[in-house]
Amino acid sequence: MGRLDDRVALITGAAMGIGRACAERLASEGAKVVITDIEDHTGQETAAAFRAKGYTANFIQQDVTSEGQWQSVLADIDRLHGRLDILVNNAGIAIRKSIFEMTMDEYQLQNSINLDGVFMGLKYGIPMIAKTEGGSVINLSSVAGLKASPGLSAYAMTKGGVRLLSKSVAKECIAEGIKVRVNSVHPGIIQTAIWDKMGVPTDGENQVDVEQLATNAVPGGLLGKPTDIADGVLFLASDESRYVNGSELVIDHAISA
Ligand SMILES: NC(=O)c1ccc[n+]([C@@H]2O[C@H](COP(=O)([O-])OP(=O)(O)OC[C@H]3O[C@@H](n4cnc5c(N)ncnc54)[C@H](O)[C@@H]3O)[C@@H](O)[C@H]2O)c1
């Protein structure tokens, strides 16, 4: 308890899934959490549920693809708490189509959320975090950012991009004397709504059976939970990882091993 007392954390895409679990884990260690999401109603409910547990939690609606909204969210956090220590760039989508089936609109939408959103989070978030005594940015990549993912090629491209963006910005911060660490997290197959939202183009079946997928793809067949990722994010957010920078934390039960 108390590993993040007095810290302020912004978690994007935190109305549900991995982002929600990360926000709850950080709050449970004393962080004041600001959760943002494009989904207003669910985001408000999530923040209210956290407050009912005694946590300090606010929700701000945010589309991570909007530059103006990044600036206004950070200004709101400054007004609310006067500081930012931790940023979890979590918001993301996965469009399950091969390169031959994906339209350019789908490709650009996925890039704008998964890549542009993270880029702007780093660009605008780090200068605010740098005003504190030092902080941590954690970017959600994927096992798909480490190895080929046929059927998810454009998604894999975004997640590979997040991995190298994280490492490069970590070194840019060091070069500029900015005391902000930047790391990426690489989940394997985690049970969240992302699997229900994936469109399958040709066979008419929209559902991905995530339990079956885990049985087939994960050594031992073990399906991950959002809290498995949240525990790793907590480590990277806390001072226990002070020497972990420009690194990648793989939480995939040996998929990529
Ligand atoms: N679930 C997995 O198996 C898995 C594996 C590897 C990586 N990831 C990554 O983890 C992150 C979280 O995924 P999840 O599984 O919790 O998905 P999820 O669909 O459950 O949650 C994603 C959240 O992002 C929000 N969001 C979508 N577009 C947004 C936008 N433009 N602006 C702001 N918020 C937006 C959604 O409303 C949702 O609340 C993603 O970056 C995903 O790529 C997930």
Side-chain angles (χ1 to χ4, degrees):
M1 290 286 281
R3 285 154 77 186
L4 299 178
D5 278 350
D6 304 322
R7 312 279 169 90
V8 177
L10 164 58
I11 307 99
T12 69
M16 64 188 85
I18 290 171
R20 178 183 170 138
C22 292
E24 183 156 12
R25 192 73 186 90
L26 300 184
S28 75
E29 292 291 340
K32 300 179 176 90
V33 295
V34 177
I35 63 177
T36 71
D37 205 288
I38 201 164
E39 293 283 345
D40 186 46
H41 184 67
T42 319
Q44 297 284 5
E45 281 183 347
T46 298
F50 288 176
R51 287 193 293 271
K53 289 185 175 185
Y55 302 147
T56 303
N58 292 89
F59 172 75
I60 304 171
Q61 190 178 25
Q62 179 191 19
D63 178 348
V64 294
T65 69
S66 160
E67 192 171 4
Q69 288 185 29
W70 266 109
Q71 291 165 315
S72 67
V73 163
L74 292 168
D76 286 349
I77 294 172
D78 201 22
R79 272 191 296 277
L80 269 172
H81 298 300
R83 62 187 290 146
L84 181 66
D85 302 89
I86 298 156
L87 167 62
V88 184
N89 279 311
N90 165 80
I93 62 165
I95 301 177
R96 188 161 162 261
K97 291 187 177 184
S98 75
I99 194 167
F100 310 108
E101 294 156 319
M102 184 165 286
T103 67
M104 289 310 291
D105 282 349
E106 290 167 333
Y107 170 78
Q108 276 152 5
L109 173 70
Q110 187 169 247
N111 286 354
S112 68
I113 297 171
N114 295 9
L115 273 177
D116 301 357
V118 176
F119 180 89
M120 288 187 277
L122 291 161
K123 179 176 173 56
Y124 294 112
I126 287 175
M128 184 166 171
I129 300 173
K131 291 181 193 158
T132 67
E133 45 283 7
S136 176
V137 180
I138 301 113
N139 296 327
L140 265 291
S141 177
S142 169
V143 68
L146 301 172
K147 61 192 276 289
S149 299
L152 281 164
S153 51
Y155 175 78
M157 184 195 81
T158 66
K159 294 302 182 179
V162 166
R163 172 176 175 269
L164 284 184
L165 178 64
S166 306
K167 290 181 188 298
S168 302
V169 174
K171 286 197 161 183
E172 287 179 357
C173 286
I174 294 167
E176 300 271 339
I178 295 170
K179 291 200 179 81
V180 179
R181 295 180 292 111
V182 184
N183 293 288
S184 56
V185 170
H186 301 257
I189 299 178
I190 310 299
Q191 187 150 35
T192 72
I194 203 168
W195 297 99
D196 304 327
K197 298 176 202 164
M198 284 187 199
V200 180
T202 49
D203 59 10
E205 291 176 21
N206 233 11
Q207 289 300 103
V208 176
D209 184 340
V210 69
E211 288 184 32
Q212 190 58 49
L213 189 70
T215 303
N216 296 339
V218 184
L222 188 62
L223 179 61
K225 296 180 290 188
T227 49
D228 295 322
I229 308 307
D231 284 327
V233 167
L234 169 62
F235 167 68
L236 291 173
S238 73
D239 293 339
E240 288 149 42
S241 61
R242 63 172 282 275
Y243 205 63
V244 182
N245 198 0
S247 190
E248 51 198 62
L249 179 56
V250 182
I251 309 176
D252 72 345
H253 206 256
I255 293 176
S256 61

